[in-house]
Amino acid sequence: MPAKARKDSSSLLLLSTQGREYSDEELLLLRQFRQVAGQIMANPFITIASATKLIGLSERTLYRKCKELTGLTPATYLRLLRLDRARELLLSGEAATVAEAAFAVGFEDTDYFARVFYRHYGQRASELLRPATT
């Protein structure tokens, strides 16, 4: 994963290292992918292939464009969006448990979620849980 992804994953800006200007069309494509990702995020059974139908692109075109614009595959980009949303849920207190946050963003396996979260953020998801107020 590019180093830029770790430093600024909360905004998930364009991650390409090419340092070029992006066209309105390219920015629109990323916005559309993020919108579709938001709609399908909680469903682990929806694939990138089915997401491409919602965007109106072929799977190959989405893969190529996503890789060109972000430096990531669509699946990796979607996983980062899911991790980012789970982190927001944990920090805001909207998710009471790590498992709740994981399921809310489409991870079926909480152990896998915990490993991926730790690998990406360098801290355990449980460290972000807000203590229950009594």
Side-chain angles (χ1 to χ4, degrees), residues 39-60:
Q39 294 170 6
I40 66 172
M41 189 175 293
N43 189 340
F45 301 109
I46 294 182
T47 64
I48 295 299
S50 55
T52 59
K53 292 175 186 166
L54 295 171
I55 296 173
L57 294 175
S58 71
E59 193 171 348
R60 175 75 179 124

Side-chain angles (χ1 to χ4, degrees), residues 4-13 15 34 77 80-81 83-85 87-88 91 120-121:
K4 288 183 183 179
R6 289 210 171 154
K7 290 180 183 172
D8 197 9
S9 65
S10 63
S11 63
L12 286 173
L13 298 173
L15 302 174
R34 286 185 68 138
Y77 191 69
L80 290 179
L81 290 172
L83 288 172
D84 191 50
R85 178 65 182 137
R87 186 171 188 269
E88 288 174 11
L91 287 171
H120 182 68
Y121 290 109

Side-chain angles (χ1 to χ4, degrees), residues 41 78-91 95 97-129:
M41 189 175 293
L78 178 60
R79 186 172 56 246
L80 290 179
L81 290 172
R82 284 179 163 151
L83 288 172
D84 191 50
R85 178 65 182 137
R87 186 171 188 269
E88 288 174 11
L89 292 173
L90 292 167
L91 287 171
T97 66
V98 171
E100 189 178 315
F103 294 140
V105 297
F107 282 90
E108 288 185 294
D109 183 343
T110 55
D111 290 334
Y112 173 70
F113 169 77
R115 283 192 310 273
V116 171
F117 190 95
Y118 183 79
R119 202 175 309 137
H120 182 68
Y121 290 109
Q123 70 182 127
R124 298 187 193 299
S126 59
E127 294 173 21
L128 302 179
L129 287 172

